[in-house]
Amino acid sequence: MLDRRSLLLGGAALALSGCKVFDNASNSDSTLHRLFASHEALTRTAQRALIGDRLAPEFAEADIRQGQRPNGSVDPDSAAYRQMAGNGFVDYRLTFTGLVETPLSLSLAEIAALPSRTQITRHDCVEGWSCIAKWTGTPLATVLNLAKPTLAARFAAFHCFDAIERSLAGEVLYYESIDLIDAYHPQTILAYGMNGTPLPMENGAPLRLRVERQLGYKMAKYVHTIELVDSFASLGAGRGSYWADRGYEWYAGI
Ligand SMILES: Nc1nc2c(c(=O)[nH]1)N[C@H]1C(S)=C(S)[C@@H](COP(=O)(O)O)O[C@H]1N2
Ligand SMILES: [Mo]
């Protein structure tokens, strides 16, 4: 019925050929059904090749040559943060909010009780330096599976304790966001350990994001809230991150 050429014409030919063709597609033996299946596979393969589940390189212990060089905020001076830090972060809670079916509030102990992942990766700062370090934390996917983003959710936004700028207009707090492809990526973790010790304050204690296929500024330190959103409109100046609001790329892929 359908010759090879009309199959290759794909969507255009199908659109012209009417309902009988689509009825025929419900028969799983049909050529058309196979065509749909292979189109879907092709699209998926192309997307994954570009952005999907590519892993960042991982390294060996011997490649860790120094501590992780601290950059940006190194000791947030918010009163709430300082009080928690003085108390070993026992009062810390990570909040999951926004477009989720099950809002969560997790203590560090609860987070640490979830399955963990350790990875040795290279951190590339846009300023031109790199450091290899070992990060331990909970895959963000694990916690997202508990919070259950709604179908409307498109981005995970990370709200941080540190004010990175102060002006007459008030404090500007650090924030970042990633899409759900990066959020569910196996190397995207909420890290509470670094090089075999609890995450030091200068590197984001008690919890920071690692999103290994992007530049350093995406890796929000001092995270207290993860908010699932459908757009950047309600965040900062509306471009998805503190640095994106200042002209840097929102997607800082490496
Ligand atoms: N909350 C917060 N997160 C942040 C920053 C910051 O100033 N505040 N700096 C970013 C930048 S530019 C880099 S390179 C890394 C530095 O992480 P490190 O201090 O562990 O090296 O954190 C990123 N995450
Ligand atoms: Mo950076």
Side-chain angles (χ1 to χ4, degrees), residues 91-175:
D91 302 319
Y92 171 83
R93 293 290 179 280
L94 174 68
T95 303
F96 268 76
T97 183
L99 299 172
V100 292
E101 281 176 25
T102 314
L104 299 173
S105 170
L106 301 172
S107 69
L108 270 185
E110 287 170 324
I111 294 166
L114 295 169
S116 75
R117 178 184 166 97
T118 293
Q119 58 203 26
I120 301 176
T121 52
R122 196 187 65 217
H123 177 110
D124 297 317
C125 175
V126 74
E127 293 165 6
W129 55 267
S130 300
C131 265
I132 291 174
K134 180 165 80 174
W135 304 98
T136 299
T138 303
L140 179 54
T142 302
V143 197
L144 285 175
N145 287 338
L146 299 174
K148 300 187 194 71
T150 68
L151 286 176
R154 294 184 57 205
F155 307 101
F158 301 82
H159 297 284
C160 308
F161 280 109
D162 55 315
I164 184 146
E165 240 176 76
R166 285 195 175 72
S167 67
L168 290 177
E171 291 188 332
V172 182
L173 296 165
Y174 201 93
Y175 78 100

Side-chain angles (χ1 to χ4, degrees), residues 68-90 92 108 135 160-162 191-195 197-209 219-223:
Q68 169 75 14
R69 169 179 165 168
N71 198 38
S73 299
V74 291
D75 61 343
D77 63 2
S78 108
Y81 178 84
R82 299 232 59 98
Q83 197 187 338
M84 278 188 314
N87 210 7
F89 293 108
V90 290
Y92 171 83
L108 270 185
W135 304 98
C160 308
F161 280 109
D162 55 315
Y192 47 77
M194 194 193 87
N195 292 339
T197 66
L199 188 63
M201 182 182 289
E202 57 195 12
N203 300 108
L207 199 77
R208 68 103 49 91
L209 177 66
M219 321 239 189
K221 307 195 281 190
Y222 318 111
V223 174

Side-chain angles (χ1 to χ4, degrees), residues 233-251:
S234 64
L235 309 169
R239 307 188 72 166
S241 98
Y242 172 82
W243 284 114
D245 286 342
R246 279 148 193 83
Y248 285 78
E249 296 294 326
W250 172 78
Y251 188 79

Side-chain angles (χ1 to χ4, degrees), residues 24-68:
N24 191 38
S26 62
N27 169 0
S28 63
D29 292 336
S30 75
T31 312
L32 193 57
H33 189 276
R34 288 200 299 277
L35 173 77
F36 279 145
S38 72
H39 260 185
E40 206 278 325
L42 258 179
T43 310
R44 194 174 60 226
T45 307
Q47 282 178 347
R48 293 229 168 121
L50 288 172
I51 46 169
D53 48 14
R54 180 173 64 87
L55 292 177
E58 294 194 15
F59 298 84
E61 298 271 351
D63 299 316
I64 303 172
R65 286 188 291 270
Q66 70 282 299
Q68 169 75 14

Side-chain angles (χ1 to χ4, degrees), residues 96 140 144 153-158 176-180 183 209 226-229 232 235 240 250:
F96 268 76
L140 179 54
L144 285 175
R154 294 184 57 205
F155 307 101
F158 301 82
E176 259 300 343
S177 63
I178 59 177
D179 64 21
L180 293 189
L209 177 66
I226 299 179
E227 181 188 8
L228 277 289
V229 295
F232 301 151
L235 309 169
W250 172 78

Side-chain angles (χ1 to χ4, degrees), residues 1-14:
M1 219 180 51
L2 284 166
D3 65 20
R4 214 179 155 71
R5 189 164 161 274
S6 60
L7 283 176
L8 289 174
L9 286 172
L14 295 176

